[in-house]
Amino acid sequence: MKLPPLTLASGQQAAGRAKAYFPGVMIAVLVALAAQFVAEHYGAPAMLMALLFGIALNFLSEESATATGIGFTARSVLRFGVAILGARISVEMLTSLGWGMIALLVLGVVATIVFGVVLARFIGQGPRFAILTAGSVAICGASAAMAIAAVLPKDEKSERNLLFTVLGVTVLSTVAMILYPILTGALGLDEVTAGAFIGATVHDVAQVVGAGFSISETAGETSTLVKLIRVSFLAPVVIVITLMWQRAQTEAGGPRPPIVPGFVLGFLCLATLNSLGLIPQGLGALLAKLSSWALLSAIAAVGMKTDLRNIVKVGGGAITLIVAETLFLAALVMAGIGLLDLAP
């Protein structure tokens, strides 16, 4: 049967796009595979390795054969990875922690973002950069940075700021993974309290798991649970940021962005399905793995799109900001945990 011309044209266009995307996407996936190999065999953070490998291949983003696919990976694959993170979240996880700990986590997110925006004014950093760094520190490191960057208005500094933020939170997470278990031991915290502190303060999931389980099985399970609750705050924070910039752009006469970005809606839908028990355990594990690979490939693509020479231009103020936000969150959580009885 002969297909209508419109269908044939649409199919040819789709095939043409896929052909244009394929080389760049495959390069990003190969970089992600290399980063994961180094992480598994030498203990280095996978996100950091993907960034560094991507930066080394920056020239590929200027090649016509790979530039389109690299851009697609840095944009669309990134949003897909964030969306399917929702399969790891459920209401049951929230309620299992107790309302005191949930309130502390909410306070940590809100206060850290407010602190970052206020401090940025005093050290000459813009509000968009402050929200990007503070959101990544307060929620889930590199994943939050990429999700927030996806909804912030773009300018000539956007990719540079994203790469710096991902690099910064990854390095700080690695430092925290080493120092925080030592700190909790020196303070004499029990396993549950130590796990809660690590889960509420370390930026990236992988480093939370590493730090928590380096103390004990109980601390590791507690830290992972607390961290995943922080991840669940990603969707509402992104929606609030979208609404803020939507109003600003509308007043300036710019295009009106969607109230709820599609990838955030996907995140919320999957979290709802998981809360209702409609996502089988095997499928949930598969989606979690797929999300990790999508985000790893996306950050490799972001690295390839960014010239390292631009990163050094962020200056000492940017470094001061992200370090101060990290220390502020740790101090706030430590004070809050002191007021909560977390021991079983």
Side-chain angles (χ1 to χ4, degrees):
M1 182 176 68
K2 188 176 181 180
L3 294 174
L6 182 60
T7 304
L8 283 173
S10 300
Q12 289 171 352
Q13 289 175 358
R17 284 196 298 268
K19 186 176 180 180
Y21 292 152
F22 184 78
V25 172
M26 285 299 99
I27 289 292
V29 171
L30 286 173
V31 172
L33 286 168
Q36 188 62 35
F37 177 86
V38 172
E40 291 177 354
H41 288 78
Y42 300 99
M47 281 285 186
L48 179 59
M49 292 298 99
L51 263 180
L52 295 178
F53 292 164
I55 291 170
L57 298 173
N58 168 256
F59 66 93
L60 290 174
S61 65
E62 300 174 1
E63 298 288 336
S64 59
T66 53
T68 303
I70 290 171
F72 172 79
T73 306
R75 182 183 63 258
S76 300
V77 174
L78 159 64
R79 296 186 178 203
F80 171 74
V82 173
I84 58 178
L85 266 178
R88 303 171 66 176
I89 307 303
S90 69
V91 173
E92 183 182 359
M93 288 169 50
L94 286 167
T95 56
S96 66
L97 274 181
W99 294 112
M101 190 64 200
I102 292 172
L104 177 59
L105 294 176
V106 172
L107 175 63
V109 171
V110 175
T112 301
I113 293 175
V114 172
F115 171 80
V117 172
V118 172
L119 178 62
R121 288 188 174 186
F122 289 96
I123 59 176
Q125 301 299 312
R128 277 183 280 185
F129 183 63
I131 290 173
L132 179 64
T133 55
S136 63
V137 166
I139 304 172
C140 54
S143 301
M146 291 187 283
I148 292 170
V151 298
L152 285 174
K154 299 294 185 288
D155 59 23
E156 69 280 359
K157 298 179 181 178
S158 295
E159 290 182 357
R160 183 198 75 183
N161 289 344
L162 173 59
L163 188 61
F164 168 80
T165 303
V166 172
L167 184 63
V169 293
T170 303
V171 171
L172 289 171
S173 287
T174 304
V175 172
M177 180 178 65
I178 298 168
L179 295 182
Y180 284 6
I182 298 172
L183 175 63
T184 57
L187 294 174
L189 301 183
D190 61 82
E191 295 177 351
V192 173
T193 306
F197 172 75
I198 288 169
T201 54
V202 178
H203 308 324
D204 287 313
V205 175
Q207 281 84 341
V208 167
V209 172
F213 281 97
S214 70
I215 297 174
S216 70
E217 192 80 14
T218 300
E221 291 173 354
T222 304
S223 64
T224 303
L225 175 60
V226 172
K227 179 60 183 177
L228 290 177
I229 299 305
R230 285 172 68 198
V231 174
S232 71
F233 298 153
L234 180 60
V237 168
V238 169
I239 290 173
V240 170
I241 292 170
T242 303
L243 290 172
M244 288 171 51
W245 291 110
Q246 179 189 62
R247 179 179 177 183
Q249 285 186 256
T250 301
E251 291 176 352
R256 184 184 179 91
I259 294 176
V260 182
F263 71 94
V264 176
L265 189 60
F267 181 100
L268 293 172
C269 288
L270 285 173
T272 301
L273 291 173
N274 194 37
S275 298
L276 296 173
L278 299 178
I279 298 180
Q281 187 174 357
L283 178 60
L286 176 63
L287 290 174
K289 198 72 175 175
L290 185 59
S291 173
S292 297
W293 280 108
L295 293 175
L296 199 59
S297 300
I299 199 58
V302 169
M304 284 185 269
K305 289 189 66 181
T306 306
D307 191 333
L308 185 60
R309 289 171 295 184
N310 291 329
I311 300 301
V312 299
K313 296 179 182 178
V314 296
I319 298 172
T320 300
L321 180 63
I322 198 168
V323 171
E325 289 163 348
T326 299
L327 295 175
F328 173 83
L329 177 63
L332 178 66
V333 170
M334 183 62 77
I337 284 178
L339 301 175
L340 298 174
D341 184 13
L342 299 178

